């Protein structure tokens, strides 16, 4: 492998359900170049692997391949670190257990490291974000879905089989709506992208005619199927009542779920990243207040909910740091 | 300290909300003598400490004090291992943060070790029970309340502040009944002793007059205030429909809560001890089926729910093993 003291770089791949974000990252965590591709998750594993390979080659084309130290991939689902298998990523068609690392290495002769996407983003936080101040925290990715990375003593806590941290599938109501995972009432069912958008359409439809009109329909040019968390977030920033109510409620529900998580693993600090990390502060306050109201007494004094400062780059930076 | 190779013994104290169980335990985990006292939890910390001291002196009176290696205490609430403080044990009056180890040592000149009661019982399981076959498991105490001990690689997983494993306060319904802890819908509210007994009275009262009469009222001589889990369990063993329904439902709800716990910490094996560990097998089957139906796919193949074989001795054995 190339020594890290030279002017080398690493490729970080943030494999999402809708897009693949690839980036060349230098040894100081600076993103030198980026490329975004469709994931094509509905077309099955071969199509997704093709898209990853294509993204890697796009990045390699912009730099000296001989200076690339390796490829790190943050993938959804449960990842077997040793074998490089990615298992049951939600919203990926026909994907049971795929030897992703091997498939990449077969085509590109570089070291490949894979990690769960939430864990990879949590690692970015350890290296470049909140982790500089806090050694122990729960990282929450709140975007299309809800994922988690448990950081203890600056390291990922994986549990005995490597799959720990699936906080999106904490159920907050055992009689709640059915989740993709087969369970009921998972927090992801209430605040994941799809559900949050549906909930917004539902609330807009139920608004009394004499109430002030929401900004949301305007922001999507009347096409309500285009509603997504960033739209709700933009409306909330402009003081839209419906948007504020929706996000405050979502924040509260997330807080209730996190209170259970913190009771189990005894963490106090929560960092929220992902698509929603740009939302107005009151959302973070709602999460914190809800945790405070539900968590066991001895935990209350230390509870803190922070916004990730790494934004959308956390996935790429975290994936790249797998190689470093 | 006395060498463990001599014929020495250890005192294990299982501090419960209603009774204190003390035992002299030899180096092979054999209980040489036992003593049970009222906890007097409603009378405040001084009364409880007096009861512990009294129990210890009762045990010491039956053996050679010079052969006692020390005292181990399993206490409810959050325990600070280093300082020996016991914090906010539920159902103990006026007990905020008490330096329990210091208070005992002040009177009895022996080493004193304190651990959370569920963790202590889990340790007994590691040493003398299920742990001989399984290195990683979740130990559940199901009795007056619901507690948990997380065992990873044969050791207690404590989390960064020592309080991990409070599985009784996983909420299964964020709009559910209010819990003593201040939250809502904690699993303890549905299957803890007090709630299970109340639920039984409620179900008996609601039974249609033409349905076959339940055995439960007979087992408590008509005094329904005496209903407790062991009574329901006895009735269920005799095939009582109402008792079976209540315990099956409780098992299912526990399974729903445990599915969330296992998703977070990625454990597969659950061991159930405490007052309910004598219940008929269908209760354990109900817990296992409920977990299976709700846990994430990659965890399903390994899910196992086992009955603790240590029975009521787990508390004493685990507490004693803190000294060993």
């Amino acid at each position: 492998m190339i020594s890290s003291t030279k002017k080398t770089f690493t490729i970080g791949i943030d494999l999402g359900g809708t897009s693949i974000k690839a980036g060349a990252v230098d040894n100081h965590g600076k993103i030198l170049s980026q490329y975004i591709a469709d994931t094509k998750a509905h077309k099955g594993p071969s199509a997704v692997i093709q898209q990853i390979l294509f993204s890697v080659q796009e990045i390699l084309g912009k730099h000296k391949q001989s200076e690339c130290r390796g490829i790190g991939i943050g993938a959804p689902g449960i990842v077997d670190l040793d074998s490089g298998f990615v298992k049951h990523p939600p919203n990926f068609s026909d994907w049971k257990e795929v030897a992703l690392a091997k498939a990449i290495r077969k085509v590109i002769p570089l070291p490949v490291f894979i990690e769960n996407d939430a864990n990879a983003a949590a690692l970015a936080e350890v290296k470049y974000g909140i982790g500089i101040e806090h050694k122990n925290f729960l990282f929450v990715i709140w975007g299309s879905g809800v994922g988690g990375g448990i950081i203890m003593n600056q390291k990922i806590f994986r549990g005995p089989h490597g799959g720990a941290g699936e906080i999106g599938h904490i159920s907050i109501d055992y009689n709640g709506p059915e989740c993709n995972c087969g369970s009921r009432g998972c927090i992801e069912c209430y605040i994941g992208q799809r559900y949050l958008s549906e909930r917004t359409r539902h609330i807009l439809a139920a608004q009394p005619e004499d109430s002030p009109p929401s900004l949301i329909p305007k922001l999507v040019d009347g096409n309500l199927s285009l509603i997504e968390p960033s739209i709700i977030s933009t409306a909330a920033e402009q003081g839209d009542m419906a948007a504020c109510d929706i996000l405050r409620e979502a924040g509260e529900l997330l807080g209730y779920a996190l209170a259970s998580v913190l009771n189990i693993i005894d963490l106090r600090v929560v960092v929220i990243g992902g698509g929603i990390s740009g939302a107005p502060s009151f959302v973070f306050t709602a999460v914190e207040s809800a945790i405070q109201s539900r968590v066991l007494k001895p935990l209350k004094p230390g509870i803190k909910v922070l916004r990730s400062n790494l934004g959308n780059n956390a996935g790429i930076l975290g994936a790249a740091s797998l190689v470093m």
Side-chain angles (χ1 to χ4, degrees), chain A:
Chain A
M1 206 191 286
I2 298 157
S3 150
S4 66
T5 51
K6 283 190 197 163
K7 203 185 143 199
T8 58
F9 72 96
T10 303
I11 296 178
I13 307 271
D14 181 7
L15 177 60
T18 51
S19 67
I20 293 167
K21 293 185 199 110
V25 180
D26 77 7
N27 299 322
H28 307 287
K30 195 180 153 195
I31 296 179
L32 306 169
S33 69
Q34 278 202 55
Y35 184 80
I36 296 180
D38 274 353
T39 305
K40 300 192 177 171
H42 61 286
K43 291 198 170 171
S46 309
V48 174
I49 291 167
Q50 278 311 314
Q51 291 298 92
I52 296 174
L53 289 170
F54 187 70
S55 308
V56 170
Q57 272 148 350
E58 276 293 317
I59 294 286
L60 285 175
K62 294 177 191 167
H63 304 269
K64 279 192 190 164
Q65 184 164 347
S66 62
E67 287 174 358
C68 184
R69 298 170 59 205
I71 301 164
I73 303 175
I78 290 188
V79 174
D80 187 317
L81 299 191
D82 296 329
S83 68
F85 268 75
V86 175
K87 301 174 184 178
H88 306 282
N91 312 317
F92 279 61
S93 300
D94 301 325
W95 191 307
K96 283 172 189 163
E97 301 196 355
V98 173
L100 185 57
K102 203 175 159 189
I104 306 294
R105 267 195 296 263
K106 217 169 149 186
V107 180
I108 299 170
L110 279 170
V112 179
F113 301 87
I114 306 195
E115 175 59 274
N116 169 273
D117 53 357
N119 281 346
L123 274 182
E125 211 60 57
V126 169
K127 239 181 133 144
Y128 306 111
I130 302 296
I132 295 164
E133 198 181 337
H134 297 281
K135 281 190 174 178
N136 304 295
F137 61 88
L138 176 67
F139 181 74
V140 177
I141 287 199
W142 181 3
S144 330
V146 178
I150 299 168
I151 298 295
M152 287 188 183
N153 206 12
Q154 299 185 302
K155 291 193 186 85
I156 292 171
F157 167 79
R158 298 175 199 282
H161 307 278
E166 288 288 349
I167 61 159
H169 301 281
I170 276 272
S171 168
I172 59 168
D173 181 359
Y174 68 98
N175 274 326
E178 220 172 290
C179 179
N180 275 346
C181 78
S183 182
R184 282 190 175 276
C186 296
I187 183 63
E188 192 166 290
C189 293
Y190 294 85
I191 68 163
Q193 170 153 347
R194 192 177 117 205
Y195 304 92
L196 208 52
S197 305
E198 262 169 30
R199 174 119 184 84
T200 305
R201 283 188 283 275
H202 182 79
I203 284 178
L204 290 179
Q207 275 198 315
E209 280 191 23
D210 57 347
S211 67
S214 166
L215 293 172
I216 297 171
K218 217 185 209 170
L219 289 170
V220 291
D221 290 330
N223 183 353
L224 299 191
S225 72
L226 296 178
I227 293 173
E228 54 166 86
S230 66
I231 297 285
I232 311 171
S233 188
T234 303
E237 265 164 29
Q238 294 173 36
D240 184 73
M241 286 279 286
C244 289
D245 284 351
I246 289 160
L247 287 182
R248 191 179 295 112
E249 184 192 69
E252 256 173 39
L253 295 178
L254 177 59
Y256 297 153
L258 294 180
S260 288
V261 179
L262 303 184
N263 281 345
I264 296 170
I265 53 178
D266 197 20
L267 285 175
R268 317 281 163 102
V269 177
V270 173
V271 184
I272 299 179
I276 217 86
S277 59
S281 307
F282 75 83
V283 181
F284 296 81
T285 310
V287 179
E288 189 170 300
S289 305
I291 297 177
Q292 277 287 1
S293 72
R294 300 283 169 116
V295 87
L296 288 169
K297 251 185 213 157
L299 279 77
K300 287 186 196 284
I303 296 298
K304 253 186 205 165
V305 173
L306 305 167
R307 180 200 300 270
S308 165
N309 294 320
L310 301 176
N312 275 327
N313 292 334
I316 291 175
L317 289 175
S321 75
L322 300 173
V323 184
M324 299 171 191

